[in-house]
Structures are given as structure tokens and as C-alpha cells.
Amino acid sequence: YALYTFFREQESLVYTIPFALYCILQFYSQVLSGHKMGSQAHLAVTDKKLVISALLWLVITTAILYF
């Protein structure tokens, strides 16, 4: 994802990398800590931090691409 954002026409997509990275690392952290999310991925949509960060990523990416 980081390489994709670096080579796009919209150079400001680079600002979305921290949000995507946080989502990935938050999910990974939950899986490593033995949370049920590791075996039941549908629980990811109930994690408030993960949902909020994914929504922020989506809003910021949409704003950069269309405005």
C-alpha cells in the first residue's frame, strides 16, 4: 500500500499510510494477544479502535481522491 501511494498521481495519498498501518497493526496486536479475533475475523467490526481508524482512512482517502 505504501508503494502504491508513493507512485500515484495524487502525492497526498501518502498521508493515509499511518491510518492503514494502524489498522493492520491493531488487528495484528489483537491476534497475537490471544483475542478471539484471531479465529473469528468477523469480530474485527466490533472493535471500536479498528472501526474508527478504518473509517478515518476511508474518509481521508476519499477526500484526497475526489476533492
Side-chain angles (χ1 to χ4, degrees):
Y1 179 75
L3 288 175
Y4 172 76
T5 60
F6 280 118
F7 295 115
R8 289 281 300 179
E9 293 175 9
Q10 294 90 359
E11 295 173 357
S12 54
L13 273 177
V14 174
Y15 299 120
T16 63
I17 293 173
F19 295 100
L21 187 61
Y22 179 79
C23 288
I24 293 168
L25 292 178
Q26 178 68 19
F27 182 78
Y28 186 65
S29 171
Q30 293 291 335
V31 170
L32 284 183
S33 69
H35 193 272
K36 293 179 187 177
M37 198 181 302
S39 60
Q40 300 172 358
H42 68 276
L43 293 175
V45 295
T46 61
D47 184 30
K48 290 180 183 179
K49 292 179 185 177
L50 194 58
V51 170
I52 290 171
S53 61
L55 287 175
L56 280 172
W57 173 81
L58 183 65
V59 168
I60 292 171
T61 302
T62 303
I64 290 172
L65 289 176
Y66 294 107
F67 298 110

